Amino acid sequence: MTSRRGFTSRSAALAARAKAVEDVRRGDVRATRDTFGEFWAKVLEAKRPYVTAGTLQDYTTHGRKRLLPWFGALKLAAVDEDRIRDWLAQMAELVADGELSAKTVNNARTCLSMTMGEAVRRRYIPQNPCRWVPELPVERTEIDYLRMGEIDRYLDACADFYRPLAEFLVGTGARISEALGVRWQDVDLEAGVVRISRQRARDGDGTAPTKGKRFRSVQVGPQLAATLRGVREERTTSGLDDGDWIFLCPPPRRGRYSVRTEPVPPSRKTAHDWHEWALQDAGLRDMPLHSLRHTAATAWLATGHPLIFVQRQLGHRSITTTEEHYGHLETSFMREAAARTEALIAAGGDRRAA
């Protein structure tokens, strides 16, 4: 009643107010005294049983860093389109300054929209104010990965305690968290299959369900199977009780691992350090450890495997995701397709002539 707030005139605002009052009167919208911060805490608690620990941590981080400082003290109904646009404009400035990525801001916006959507479902507000506030544009960058001629250089530069893990990442396309969560009971070396259903937790030594809580079986080649078989035989010979973990920290010695009393997998940070050292020793360009997952996918496509195989190996929920990342690299159905088509047409013409 005191400002436009997106309305074109005073009469339009009066009409919207009258409709909102009528919605409340009919029970279509229930009044709540919750602030955004209070409601945010309720939504996170409701989500807890249905999402992985990593996803819940991501939600919590976005709320603490990017949502609660702006909206936490506001009444839920006060979080409207104008305020969300103001928030997004400030986030865009941080992106321009290089302090945040557009993808990070869009993920935070998704959390905000999820919360307001839940408020709509509970009939605390009539509509989701995020609906008319589009995401920031994201510039897609070409993914980097080890080319076929670079894979051996990289593996040869790996430290002895890291090489089996590196071969596993390149051979299976597993995420580092998934690889560190694999145990011997998950591997069938005779069948060449690794079952991936758990991942190492971000904090602590435990495991959690994989991203999306999905189970998958990954086919591995004979060379990787031989590497894993060699690791297991070496453990048996040395009498080391590895706790059923496949990949372990180096043997305890003075320094970083000296306080360790039992064999445990390395932390994600440690594996990232090993990867960086291997790249430097091999004289290769810098790339994240996750690039080994891309390396696996591109190697499968380069050797003629179809996208559906890559999707199942990587555990993507939809082949659309695989297509978005790697579709431009697939050649299995395109290689010599034009020549084969022409040959079939020519053969058909020869039969008619005969």
Side-chain angles (χ1 to χ4, degrees):
M1 298 296 293
T2 59
S3 61
R4 287 183 178 273
R5 309 300 288 172
F7 295 106
T8 57
S9 66
R10 180 180 177 82
S11 60
L14 286 169
R17 181 181 184 277
K19 182 179 183 306
V21 171
E22 179 62 17
D23 287 342
V24 172
R25 187 189 66 78
R26 292 185 308 180
D28 292 340
V29 177
R30 296 194 292 260
T32 177
R33 295 182 180 276
D34 281 354
T35 63
F36 177 86
E38 292 167 340
F39 188 67
W40 168 258
K42 294 177 182 178
V43 170
L44 287 190
E45 193 59 33
K47 290 283 185 183
R48 185 182 300 276
Y50 304 102
V51 298
T52 63
T55 298
L56 189 66
Q57 184 174 346
D58 287 341
Y59 289 164
T60 303
T61 301
H62 282 305
R64 174 172 51 84
K65 291 185 174 181
R66 302 172 191 102
L67 300 180
L68 295 180
W70 278 81
F71 306 112
L74 294 174
K75 292 296 184 183
L76 197 58
V79 182
D80 58 13
E81 181 181 334
D82 285 348
R83 282 195 168 93
I84 294 174
R85 287 187 182 278
D86 291 343
W87 167 78
L88 198 63
Q90 292 295 320
M91 293 295 106
E93 290 185 9
L94 295 177
V95 171
D97 293 340
E99 297 183 33
L100 286 176
S101 70
K103 182 179 179 181
T104 297
V105 174
N106 289 339
N107 289 341
R109 180 200 166 280
T110 298
C111 292
L112 176 60
S113 182
M114 171 193 73
T115 306
M116 303 311 290
E118 180 63 16
V120 172
R121 190 190 70 80
R122 299 189 188 189
R123 297 189 292 176
Y124 291 157
I125 57 176
Q127 63 181 359
N128 188 339
C130 293
R131 179 179 179 184
W132 309 112
V133 184
E135 295 183 343
L136 295 180
V138 177
E139 181 180 350
R140 293 188 65 88
T141 57
E142 186 69 22
I143 59 175
D144 200 3
Y145 55 91
L146 295 173
R147 274 52 178 181
M148 297 295 281
E150 297 173 332
I151 295 176
D152 280 344
R153 282 174 57 193
Y154 172 82
L155 294 176
D156 289 342
C158 293
D160 291 342
F161 50 78
Y162 171 53
R163 176 158 182 156
L165 174 57
E167 288 188 31
F168 186 88
L169 294 171
V170 172
T172 64
R175 302 174 179 89
I176 182 59
S177 58
E178 295 171 339
L180 296 180
V182 173
R183 295 175 179 263
W184 290 114
Q185 63 185 4
D186 301 321
V187 177
D188 185 344
L189 296 181
E190 297 304 320
V193 174
V194 175
R195 293 175 289 273
I196 296 179
S197 61
R198 307 287 294 177
Q199 63 179 350
R200 289 284 285 175
R202 296 188 184 186
D203 301 315
D205 296 331
T207 61
T210 58
K211 184 177 181 180
K213 298 186 177 181
R214 293 190 295 275
F215 165 90
R216 71 183 186 275
S217 293
V218 178
Q219 297 292 324
V220 301
Q223 182 172 330
L224 177 55
T227 295
L228 296 179
R229 194 175 289 112
V231 171
R232 187 167 61 184
E233 291 173 355
E234 181 180 348
R235 302 260 177 87
T236 302
T237 302
S238 65
L240 174 65
D241 179 10
D242 57 17
D244 202 39
W245 297 110
I246 295 182
F247 304 111
L248 300 176
C249 292
R253 60 181 183 273
R254 183 182 305 173
R256 183 169 186 177
Y257 300 107
S258 59
V259 297
R260 180 161 49 82
T261 59
E262 60 183 23
V264 294
S267 68
R268 299 187 191 187
K269 174 63 170 61
T270 298
H272 280 273
D273 290 342
W274 295 345
H275 166 71
E276 291 180 6
W277 299 340
L279 289 175
Q280 293 172 5
D281 291 346
L284 296 170
R285 64 200 171 280
D286 185 45
M287 65 182 73
L289 182 59
H290 195 72
S291 292
L292 298 188
R293 180 169 165 86
H294 299 320
T295 299
T298 54
W300 290 325
L301 290 172
T303 50
H305 293 80
L307 274 177
I308 188 66
F309 174 80
V310 178
Q311 178 209 351
R312 292 175 178 174
Q313 289 283 93
L314 297 182
H316 288 160
R317 183 184 297 275
S318 169
I319 198 170
T320 302
T321 303
T322 317
E323 171 73 31
E324 288 176 353
H325 285 89
Y326 310 111
H328 64 293
L329 299 172
E330 185 181 27
T331 59
S332 61
F333 71 95
M334 297 177 64
R335 188 181 297 119
E336 301 178 355
R340 290 199 303 271
T341 301
E342 288 181 351
L344 289 173
I345 293 173
D350 292 342
R351 286 195 296 271
R352 286 195 301 273

